[in-house]
Amino acid sequence: MPAITGARAYLVDLEVETVRTDAVQSFIKQETVFVEVDTNDGLTGIGYAYTIGTGGRAVLSMLRDHLVPRLAGQDAAHIEGIWTDLFASTRATTVGAITSLALAAVDTALWDLKAKRAASPLWEVAGGFRQDVPLYDTEGGWLHLTTDELVAGAVASHDAGWGGLKLKVGKPSHREDLERLAAVRAAVGDRMDIMVDANQSMTSAEAIRRAKAFEAVDLFWLEEPLPADDVTGHVRLARATSIPIAVGESMYSIAQFREYLERGAASIVQVDVARVGGITPWLKVAHLAEAFNVAVCPHFLMELHVSLAAAVPNGRYVEHIPQLRAITRSEMVIRDGRAFAPETPGLGIDWDLDAIEDRRVG
Ligand code: MG
């Protein structure tokens, strides 16, 4: 058995690679929480989770004070057993973002070990559907950008052969949102998928009104129109519009996805491997969505999600937001509008350990 002989957690702050704003927030910095797990067969697994600027130290404390000390001596191959033990040990703070992020940092390290021990890439170990997944761009669609800047970004994505692009919405006037979307649609033609993201900023009535207006632009999805805990509002909106509703980046447990799917409130599932608690629950959500004939288009973390979206038959799109370039030695492979899952054993992220060491803050 690959017994765990040591484990440690630490925090690395990364500056944002570009200014990113939406209707409710901006991406301040990427607090990247790492967990390394050593086993007695000489392997080390590296896992991670993230925040977009707040709470990273709370995740680190949860790991150092409570979760990491429970790992010593456990069999690293028993991932479900370890996950369940850690979850049970934190019962008073679950379901919750801080605990889920901490669980994810451990769980992804264990999957890195599992795939390294199998000498196989994650996309195969996690399911192995196909190696490449269509890519859509978010990096050209932030809310502070002018219409001309949005159009320029969209044309660049179109010319690169990418299948889709995402624009943030939630300007004070719905007319302004619509003008921006229409300008981009006119620039890229009718073959490119356009997604929009409201980041939970709307009321139920406003979401229905804007969705109706947006239908003229032919959208691929409307993302997080309402607060994530307003499931009934999403049900109502889904019935009122022909635009598919995408949710998932603000959900922290399998059961939250089950409720959305059961009630017909989600047409696209954007489960985030860090926020849902790791690869173990991520795969369960993806398979649950498959049972409802719903596609998975994971939120952010493209360097890890490319392998997970490639692992499952309902992985539909990977989101392009590069944010690890300062601490990795190579980038995700993109060819003909598709992202390719790495072939190297483990998670396949080419960490620059010296650069990580330089940026440690805790
Ligand atoms: Mg979003």
Side-chain angles (χ1 to χ4, degrees):
M1 98 175 196
I4 296 175
T5 54
R8 58 218 154 262
Y10 53 88
L11 182 65
V12 168
D13 278 351
L14 298 177
E15 285 179 27
V16 289
E17 295 195 13
T18 188
V19 177
R20 303 183 179 120
T21 61
D22 61 44
V24 299
Q25 68 203 336
S26 59
F27 195 140
I28 302 164
K29 61 183 175 182
Q30 180 173 309
E31 298 178 304
T32 315
V33 185
F34 282 94
V35 166
E36 295 182 11
V37 177
D38 307 321
T39 50
N40 64 357
D41 53 2
L43 294 176
T44 296
I46 302 178
Y48 70 110
Y50 75 98
T51 80
I52 64 168
T54 52
R57 279 160 183 78
V59 179
L60 185 65
S61 290
M62 175 61 86
L63 284 161
R64 285 184 171 169
D65 297 344
H66 303 290
L67 302 188
V68 167
R70 297 182 74 86
L71 297 175
Q74 296 216 47
D75 186 334
H78 296 178
I79 298 178
E80 289 275 6
I82 292 174
W83 198 97
T84 305
D85 172 69
L86 297 182
F87 184 82
S89 76
T90 54
R91 191 76 73 182
T93 58
T94 55
V95 168
I98 301 299
T99 305
S100 286
L101 292 167
L103 286 167
V106 175
D107 184 79
T108 48
L110 296 176
W111 275 87
D112 189 36
L113 279 169
K114 178 186 172 100
K116 283 175 174 165
R117 195 174 305 110
S120 296
L122 177 63
W123 77 273
E124 287 184 355
V125 173
F129 183 67
R130 42 87 173 91
Q131 194 179 355
D132 55 301
V133 185
L135 191 72
Y136 78 91
D137 188 47
T138 295
E139 209 69 319
W142 302 106
L143 197 65
H144 66 278
L145 298 175
T146 65
T147 302
D148 287 345
E149 289 168 331
L150 290 182
V151 167
V155 168
S157 299
H158 175 270
D159 291 350
W162 297 10
L165 61 95
K166 187 157 81 190
L167 306 171
K168 297 291 181 177
V169 292
K171 288 288 190 185
S173 155
H174 69 281
R175 290 184 196 85
E176 189 177 358
D177 273 346
L178 188 58
E179 283 165 13
R180 290 157 63 86
L181 299 181
V184 169
R185 172 56 80 200
V188 300
D190 57 8
R191 296 288 175 86
M192 194 160 189
D193 293 333
I194 298 178
M195 301 78 162
V196 299
D197 187 358
N199 292 89
Q200 309 183 70
S201 63
M202 296 181 190
T203 63
S204 185
E206 185 64 16
I208 290 172
R209 176 165 72 158
R210 293 209 190 196
K212 194 168 179 145
F214 295 167
E215 283 179 4
V217 186
D218 185 18
L219 297 181
F220 196 73
W221 74 56
L222 169 57
E223 175 174 332
E224 288 203 308
L226 306 170
D229 54 7
D230 181 9
V231 187
T232 299
H234 285 85
V235 173
R236 207 177 291 140
L237 175 62
R239 286 185 188 144
T241 180
S242 61
I243 305 172
I245 304 301
V247 292
E249 71 178 79
S250 305
M251 294 189 211
Y252 299 91
S253 76
I254 302 166
Q256 290 171 338
F257 286 93
R258 185 202 62 207
E259 187 182 7
Y260 265 87
L261 290 164
E262 266 181 351
R263 297 184 61 187
S267 318
I268 309 275
V269 156
Q270 300 179 293
V271 54
D272 178 316
V273 64
R275 292 178 176 178
V276 81
I279 294 168
T280 301
W282 191 98
L283 289 169
K284 292 175 184 176
V285 171
H287 298 327
L288 177 70
E290 184 190 357
F292 281 88
N293 194 24
V294 164
V296 175
C297 302
H299 167 251
F300 188 46
L301 288 192
M302 63 178 197
E303 299 85 356
L304 185 48
H305 280 140
V306 62
S307 297
L308 297 178
V312 298
N314 50 334
R316 175 66 182 84
Y317 260 123
V318 169
E319 179 173 26
H320 180 256
I321 307 182
Q323 181 49 46
L324 290 182
R325 287 191 276 220
I327 54 169
T328 50
R329 290 176 302 194
S330 58
E331 292 186 36
M332 185 176 78
V333 174
I334 300 170
R335 212 163 45 236
D336 299 329
R338 301 180 75 86
F340 282 72
E343 291 170 17
T344 45
L347 303 187
I349 300 174
D350 192 7
W351 300 114
D352 181 339
L353 297 177
D354 292 333
I356 289 173
E357 183 69 34
D358 290 345
R359 287 169 177 76
R360 271 199 203 199
V361 293

